[in-house]
Amino acid sequence: MSPATEELSPRRREILAAATTVLARQGNRGLTHRAVDREAGLSEGSSSAYFRTRDALIGALGDFVAARMSADVQAMGARLATCPGDHERATAEVSRLLLGWLEHPDVLTARLELSIAATRDGDLAERFLEWRDDLVGMVREVLAAAGKDGGQSAETLVAALDGVLLASLMLPVRRRRAFVVESVESMLAGLGTNPGTA
């Protein structure tokens, strides 16, 4: 069973949280057992006792980050289920999701770093499919409830949201909220075709 589906021990969680910070701040090349041990304040060799190889560490980190993203998406889905067809609420919830991720930039940056690595690693790519598929499905439902095309448009929107997140990370913190909210409002309003106007 992977760390994404089992209860992590406190020490494993501590190591993976430190690995998230190292990956976010030093990039893929900087992610070493030694750097993780230093970040976690542990004696040298501690992280390798739990994740013996770098591949094992990266795989566990992929599960750790993906599980966190998936939990956030599922929580948003539960809230949206209480108000089907409410475009204003949907816009607010998607904005809330992105802004919540931006409040933890190390997790978001680590996810982006892992996503790049996943283009060369099929096993790592699989770790991100569940939460992304959940998000695409929820966006599809939001669009369909609003009378819009919920097919390929949902995939397009989720890809665009990734772009908004990346652009947000490069903005001053004070500008991020307005940028995210305006971007989400524009994208949700502009994608798809209303059947009555086609």
Side-chain angles (χ1 to χ4, degrees):
M1 186 178 292
S2 74
T5 54
E6 68 180 355
E7 184 65 30
L8 290 170
S9 69
R11 179 49 57 90
R12 284 179 182 269
R13 187 172 294 279
E14 179 184 17
I15 290 170
L16 292 174
T20 300
T21 300
V22 171
L23 181 60
R25 298 181 183 177
Q26 300 183 35
N28 194 35
R29 290 184 181 222
L31 183 64
T32 64
H33 287 93
R34 181 174 296 178
V36 171
D37 290 338
R38 281 198 301 265
E39 179 64 32
L42 299 173
S43 59
E44 188 172 325
S46 296
S47 61
S48 62
Y50 289 87
F51 307 103
R52 297 197 61 79
T53 66
R54 189 172 185 278
D55 283 346
L57 178 62
I58 291 174
L61 183 57
D63 284 333
F64 181 71
V65 172
R68 181 163 181 173
M69 308 293 270
S70 182
D72 291 342
V73 170
Q74 289 171 13
M76 182 187 73
R79 293 190 298 270
L80 286 176
T82 66
C83 54
D86 186 337
H87 177 79
E88 185 175 340
R89 176 71 180 275
T91 299
E93 289 293 350
V94 174
S95 297
R96 175 180 175 181
L97 176 71
L98 270 60
L99 290 168
W101 285 342
L102 285 166
E103 288 176 2
H104 304 280
D106 281 357
V107 175
L108 182 55
T109 303
R111 199 272 289 178
L112 293 170
E113 288 279 355
L114 288 166
S115 294
I116 293 170
T119 64
R120 301 180 294 273
D121 184 336
D123 289 339
L124 188 58
E126 286 289 331
R127 291 172 159 85
F128 292 98
L129 289 179
E130 181 178 349
W131 75 265
R132 192 178 188 283
D133 286 348
D134 284 347
L135 183 55
V136 169
M138 288 172 202
V139 170
R140 184 176 292 119
E141 290 174 7
V142 168
L143 292 175
K148 298 180 182 291
D149 172 21
Q152 189 61 35
S153 294
E155 292 274 4
T156 301
L157 180 54
V158 170
L161 291 174
D162 261 346
V164 169
L165 285 168
L166 179 58
S168 297
L169 285 172
M170 295 184 284
L171 290 174
V173 173
R174 68 181 184 279
R175 293 179 52 196
R176 291 177 182 176
R177 174 172 291 276
F179 175 72
V180 166
V181 172
E182 290 169 8
S183 297
V184 171
E185 287 176 348
S186 177
M187 286 187 289
L188 283 181
L191 278 178
T193 302
N194 287 328
T197 62

